[in-house]
Every structure is written in structure tokens, then in C-alpha cells.
Amino acid sequence: MDYIGEKCPVCGEVFTAEDDIVVCPECGTPHHRACYAVENKCANAAEHSTGKKWERSDAETENVRICPVCHFRNSRSALNCQRCGTELKDIEPVRQEENIGNEQEHRRDPFVMPEELADPIKFLGYDEKEDMGGATMKEVSDFVGVNTFYYLPRFKRIKDDGLKPSFNLLSLIFPSLYFASRKMWLWAVIAAFLGILFNLPANLLLYGKDMSAEFGKFVTDNKQIISSISEICLGLDMAGRALSCFFANWLYFRFTLRTIKKNRNGGRSSSALGGVKPMNMLIITVIKGGIGLLAIYLLYFSFDMMTTISDFSTL
């Protein structure tokens, strides 16, 4: 239950979203945890025997500011909504009793996202017609689809301030999967190729010894050199992941604008062109695994061919 805006019966302070609140199991009265710990009992313990239950302060008639986004009742002195943070300085205070019918009209199922929150452009306070560099904010939002709340502020900062670096955790951990899921196949293939290349020495140490006696002996004899190369490749792999982490959002922004402008007259909507396609992650994983094994076998066959040629030359 949401107790924001109600008052603690011990200290009289209004609850905020940051407060640690405990509720009496007998009557349902909310307290600050620290306030409850002072007496280690409910402030209304004396009334428990009467069966009286705690009730919200909906009947109070003091002036309040009604948030236009989440319709939360804030005190008349509040400059920002205590629930969602919307600025309230231009909202005129009204008496609660005058707003009861209006509030009931806006009361929503707590498991259904409010319409205002379902529209990220409206929620973030952006103009859907704003030019993002050849495409409107609305077109960009429709193209991104999943996780728009994350991408729109970063895209806007890139457009307004020209700041390219920003943090993208998924592209740090799984760069090829991230690019593939966002349909950026060129970067997905590049990330997969670099991953295969940088992991080749480590895979050679792991699988090379079991491929043949001669090849296994070659790997064992040169284990120290291959290990050193593997450590260098590990450093290069981490550097590549760091670049992907900090520039993936910028690359995705450019990809978004380029795709929208390219297909604007093609009859396909932005939402159909963009979004996330999880199946692409499976495809790039299979491709990456297959090429990785193929690379090891190519090394093996190259070694075997060189050995055969060497044997013939000694005859």
C-alpha cells in the first residue's frame, strides 16, 4: 500500500518515497521504523481493544496540489509531486473535498500502467515533433520500442550536446548479442569476429591438445607462447568491450536515424523496422560458435598440411 503523503502518528512528519515504513499488524497504522522502535509498539495501541482500524486522511479539507501526471494529492506548499517528481509550481491548490469526485474518476487499477506513463515522450516532457536529426522524436520512440525510457534521454543528450559516450551494460557483457537483438547486423558481425579472434588462443589451449597427437604436442610445446598471446588478446577483448559499452548507444542512435530516413517512403512503420528481436541473439550465438570451432579446425588442418609437406620434403 502507498503511504506517501500520510503522517506518522509519532513524529507528525509526512511520509515520502524514501522513508522506511512499518505498519501495525493490529490496526494498520503506518509509522517510521525508527519512530516505532522508540516505544516498540503502535502509537494507537490503546485503541486496539475497540477494534478501530487506521484510515487514510481522505476526509481532510486542506488545500492540496493535484499532480497532473499521477493525480497524487500533495500539500499546497509542495513544489514537486511526492510520488513521481512532476513540477507543481504552476498547479493551483484546490480543496480536497472539491476534488473527491475528480479523483475517483482518475483512480486506476494498480496493476495497469497509467496512460501518461505508457507514453515515454509525454512522461519525459519531450515534444514528439522535435527533430532528432532527420527523424522526429515520435519516430525515434516508435523505432526503439522496448526500453524507450532508457534510450530517449541518451539520444536527446547526444543530439543536443554532441556527447557520444554513455554507459550500456548489455553491450559490455554481450556486445554481439546486443547489436544482433537491435538488428544492427554489421556491428553484430564485427563484435562476433573480434570475439572469436581474441578468444582463439585460449580455445586453442583448451581444445587443441585433443585433436591429434602431433597437434597436441605442438600446443603443449608452445603453451607458454600461446598463453602469453592469450593474455594480450584478453586485454584487447576487454578494450573492445569497453568501447562497445561507451559507444553502443551512439551507434544505435545513428542506426535508428539512418534506418528511419532510408525507409520513410517504403511504407513500413518505424515500430516494424526497429524494436528488439530476441531470435537474432540465438542466430548470432550459433554463428559465433560455429565459426569459432571452424577457426580451430582450420589451424589444425593448416598445421597438418604443413607437417605433411615437411615430411615429403625430407624424403
Side-chain angles (χ1 to χ4, degrees):
M1 186 178 290
D2 190 348
Y3 296 102
I4 299 174
E6 300 295 333
K7 294 181 180 179
C8 175
V10 179
C11 66
E13 294 292 329
V14 175
F15 293 124
T16 66
E18 290 75 27
D19 288 334
D20 186 6
I21 300 172
V22 295
V23 179
C24 173
E26 290 287 334
C27 66
T29 302
H31 307 68
H32 289 111
R33 184 178 295 276
C35 295
Y36 188 90
V38 172
E39 297 292 337
N40 200 26
K41 65 178 182 179
C42 175
N44 296 324
E47 300 180 8
H48 286 177
S49 59
T50 65
K52 183 178 179 180
K53 300 294 184 180
W54 175 81
E55 296 180 353
R56 291 185 173 278
S57 55
D58 290 348
E60 296 180 2
T61 59
E62 62 180 272
N63 288 354
V64 293
R65 293 181 189 268
I66 308 300
C67 176
V69 175
C70 68
H71 305 289
F72 184 74
R73 298 192 305 277
N74 300 270
S75 66
R76 63 173 300 154
S77 61
L79 298 179
N80 295 87
C81 178
Q82 291 179 297
R83 174 178 288 165
C84 69
T86 300
E87 190 173 286
L88 302 174
K89 65 179 182 179
D90 296 327
I91 304 299
E92 290 296 327
V94 297
R95 294 179 68 82
Q96 289 202 57
E97 60 184 6
E98 297 174 358
N99 189 64
I100 291 177
N102 190 36
E103 183 191 1
Q104 292 293 336
E105 180 183 344
H106 290 289
R107 222 178 264 279
R108 295 181 169 93
D109 185 335
F111 297 101
V112 177
M113 180 179 289
E115 182 180 351
E116 295 87 349
L117 301 184
D119 186 344
I121 298 178
K122 184 182 296 184
F123 179 80
L124 294 169
Y126 296 155
D127 179 4
E128 65 178 18
K129 297 181 180 180
E130 178 181 351
D131 182 15
M132 296 295 289
T136 65
M137 178 73 77
K138 174 64 173 172
E139 288 176 315
V140 171
S141 177
D142 290 343
F143 184 91
V144 171
V146 179
N147 213 3
T148 313
F149 283 96
Y150 168 81
Y151 284 105
L152 287 187
R154 285 156 180 81
F155 287 178
K156 185 169 174 56
R157 188 180 68 169
I158 292 172
K159 193 267 292 188
D160 292 343
D161 304 331
L163 298 177
K164 297 178 182 179
S166 59
F167 191 82
N168 188 313
L169 180 61
L170 184 58
S171 67
L172 171 67
I173 304 175
F174 307 109
S176 60
L177 299 187
Y178 167 76
F179 290 123
S181 69
R182 286 288 172 176
K183 306 179 182 180
M184 303 169 66
W185 279 109
L186 174 62
W187 289 105
V189 171
I190 291 175
F193 174 77
L194 292 177
I196 294 169
L197 181 63
F198 293 146
N199 284 281
L200 187 58
N203 289 333
L204 189 60
L205 290 173
L206 185 62
Y207 302 112
K209 292 181 293 184
D210 301 323
M211 300 188 74
S212 71
E214 295 82 2
F215 194 66
K217 184 176 184 305
F218 169 79
V219 171
T220 302
D221 292 343
N222 295 275
K223 182 176 181 180
Q224 186 173 354
I225 297 175
I226 298 174
S227 296
S228 299
I229 296 174
S230 178
E231 291 177 0
I232 295 172
C233 287
L234 177 61
L236 293 173
D237 183 52
M238 293 305 298
R241 289 172 181 270
L243 288 173
S244 174
C245 171
F246 288 109
F247 290 96
N249 291 333
W250 174 66
L251 293 172
Y252 185 43
F253 180 50
R254 292 181 57 197
F255 172 77
T256 298
L257 295 179
R258 186 168 59 251
T259 306
I260 292 174
K261 288 186 286 186
K262 182 180 178 181
N263 294 275
R264 180 164 285 149
N265 299 322
R268 297 181 64 190
S269 64
S270 298
S271 57
L273 294 169
V276 174
K277 193 170 184 179
M279 180 60 68
N280 288 356
M281 294 191 287
L282 176 61
I283 294 173
I284 198 68
T285 300
V286 172
I287 293 174
K288 186 177 179 180
I291 295 177
L293 289 175
L294 179 62
I296 295 175
Y297 275 100
L298 285 175
L299 283 176
Y300 166 70
F301 286 125
S302 298
F303 172 82
D304 188 55
M305 184 177 295
M306 291 177 63
T307 303
T308 302
I309 293 173
S310 177
D311 290 341
F312 273 113
S313 64
T314 56
L315 294 178

